Amino acid sequence: MSDLSIPPLAELRKRRSAKWRTFPDDVLPLPVAEMDFPLAHPVAEALREAVDRSDTGYAAPTGDLADAVSGYARRAWDWTIDPGQVRTVADVGIGMVEILRRVVGPGDRVVVSPPVYEPFAWWIGEVGAQVVEAPLAGGPGAWRLDLDALERAFAGHAAAYLLCNPHNPVGLVHRREDLVALAELADRYGVHVLSDEIHAPLVLPGATFVPFLSVSAEARRWGFSFLSASKGWNLAGLKAAAVVTADPAPKRYVDRLSPHSLYRTGHLGVIATVAAFTEGGPWLAGVVAALDRNRTLLGELLAQSLPGARYGRPEAGFLAWIDFRALGWGDDPAARILTAARVALNSGHRYGPTGAGFARLNFGCAPETLTEAITRIAASR
Ligand SMILES: Cc1ncc(COP(=O)(O)O)c(C=O)c1O
């Protein structure tokens, strides 16, 4: 079996993770953001060796993760990160919430650009702040940050902006000029920018990831980057991520994180993350090629069997944002599809009001599974 052959569904169903245990066995589960590829060999080896050593204690106070993250950023994106400005946290969600807690107060306004990853709104709620929406401009295949909407939101006394870079669920890789303009707005209005860069390793051919902190001095003054191997190498359950800064001003907030945050990070997560960022490049290249083929296959399948559904090829990741509005399936096509086709997708309206009539599909699976999903959906019409 090659490193990337996806096991048959019967094998995948033996996994104990959320993707495989949320739905009954007659449902094809394509919502939860886990991929079906087998683990990268160097990651699996590192974990196996740790288990063989009974090495399952606390994460150690070393610079291993910081060095691995900065080495990867230099090789993959030509971005120089100071390992001294990398802080280990348990996951991106915890990192974002803990930084938000330090940069905003109760009732403060925090801006997001829907349709966007649903937990952004939960995280803002968790710190007692309020969500302000500056929706993306454009539509399938042509999404962009709406800089005018962002300026209006920032001018209305926003305290922070949650940037999704690349942007889940539409798969947009933000353009350098938009990030430069965003950083200028942040500087003009004094808005902290928390850039969630978890999908960055999965940028697909044709697009180039631009780290927010790399674009300008203004971006560095106001920005925090959140990086993790959890999407790229499918390690979400192991709990390790990094908060990165590149200027003393945001670093001061990171320095106020609990000294205990390292011990709340998964030791196996750190081990796997270091292996992924240092030795997982060839595996990732294979995954990116497979996702590239799957995004093309999905476009072909939709055009053949569900021509009313609109889909803009994502530039990154394994998530497709599909517009079902022309099919007359109402505001929540995912609910109809689950009942009628036994295929689970994410409901678009959960990503903000502009997501009504859309659904999100995870194509980090075998081409056969993708074909079966679209065939079932088409047959259920
Ligand atoms: C944009 C984005 N941020 C964060 C997460 C969750 O990351 P973590 O498990 O590290 O909190 C996801 C998971 O799908 C995601 O898509």
Side-chain angles (χ1 to χ4, degrees):
M1 187 168 95
S2 95
D3 210 13
L4 285 175
S5 335
I6 292 181
L9 278 171
E11 281 299 308
L12 290 169
R13 289 194 198 286
K14 293 182 187 161
R15 292 187 183 176
R16 319 305 286 160
S17 62
K19 182 172 184 179
W20 297 101
R21 302 204 64 198
T22 303
F23 302 94
D25 275 1
D26 66 324
V27 171
L28 271 185
L30 301 183
V32 183
E34 302 174 16
M35 294 194 289
D36 294 350
F37 301 101
L39 271 185
H41 181 72
V43 173
E45 271 307 289
L47 290 171
R48 239 187 307 272
E49 284 168 13
V51 169
D52 287 347
R53 289 192 301 268
S54 299
D55 188 1
T56 51
Y58 288 111
T62 68
D64 295 357
L65 186 132
D67 290 343
V69 168
S70 45
Y72 184 81
R74 184 170 23 79
R75 291 190 305 279
W77 307 310
D78 198 20
W79 175 27
T80 303
I81 292 178
D82 167 9
Q85 293 209 50
V86 177
R87 177 69 174 249
T88 305
V89 288
D91 60 29
V92 166
I94 286 178
M96 299 270 276
V97 168
E98 291 306 318
I99 293 299
L100 268 181
R101 255 189 238 295
R102 281 148 186 89
V103 300
V104 306
D108 276 355
R109 299 159 75 84
V110 179
V111 182
V112 298
S113 294
V116 73
Y117 182 56
E118 184 186 9
F120 276 17
W122 306 345
W123 299 341
I124 295 167
E126 215 175 313
V127 303
Q130 44 170 322
V131 176
V132 173
E133 296 187 337
L136 290 180
W143 300 101
R144 288 289 281 268
L145 286 180
D146 186 335
L147 293 163
D148 294 332
L150 283 171
E151 174 149 24
R152 281 193 299 277
F154 287 10
H157 305 288
Y161 174 57
L162 303 191
L163 174 66
C164 200
N165 180 36
H167 194 106
N168 170 3
V170 302
L172 164 66
V173 177
H174 296 293
R175 306 296 184 260
R176 177 179 296 277
E177 63 267 30
D178 289 355
L179 296 178
V180 169
L182 166 65
E184 280 167 11
L185 292 175
D187 195 46
R188 189 173 321 147
Y189 294 101
V191 176
H192 300 281
V193 178
L194 281 64
S195 185
D196 176 341
E197 303 187 336
I198 196 169
H199 289 277
L202 290 171
V203 166
L204 301 176
T208 304
F209 170 65
V210 181
F212 180 64
L213 300 185
S214 74
V215 302
S216 64
E218 288 82 3
R220 289 185 279 282
R221 194 173 310 134
W222 291 97
F224 303 83
S225 162
F226 299 81
L227 291 169
S228 169
S230 76
K231 293 295 123 186
W233 287 267
N234 205 35
L235 307 177
L238 294 175
K239 298 291 163 200
V243 187
V244 180
T245 53
D247 182 281
K251 183 173 183 296
R252 273 196 289 278
Y253 294 103
V254 177
D255 289 343
R256 288 184 216 148
L257 292 180
S258 163
H260 210 239
S261 62
L262 176 68
Y263 298 108
R264 295 173 185 160
T265 303
H267 173 47
L268 293 180
V270 173
I271 287 174
T273 301
V274 169
F277 278 139
T278 53
E279 299 170 74
W283 180 91
L284 187 75
V287 165
V288 164
L291 296 178
D292 186 22
R293 288 192 295 275
N294 275 1
R295 70 176 166 167
T296 301
L297 172 64
L298 178 58
E300 290 164 0
L301 291 166
L302 290 173
Q304 278 157 19
S305 33
L306 275 172
R310 279 180 76 211
Y311 152 77
R313 258 166 89 81
E315 297 172 322
F318 49 85
L319 303 167
W321 184 241
I322 305 173
D323 180 354
F324 288 100
R325 287 175 298 181
L327 293 171
W329 290 352
D331 282 351
D332 190 2
R336 183 215 172 266
I337 289 168
L338 178 60
T339 310
R342 307 304 283 158
V343 176
L345 308 179
N346 295 98
S347 298
H349 65 85
R350 305 189 74 99
Y351 298 74
T354 53
F358 287 73
R360 193 188 80 165
L361 176 148
N362 175 346
F363 60 86
C365 58
E368 295 76 22
T369 304
L370 193 54
T371 305
E372 165 78 10
I374 302 304
T375 306
R376 284 194 196 185
I377 296 172
S380 75
R381 272 180 304 168

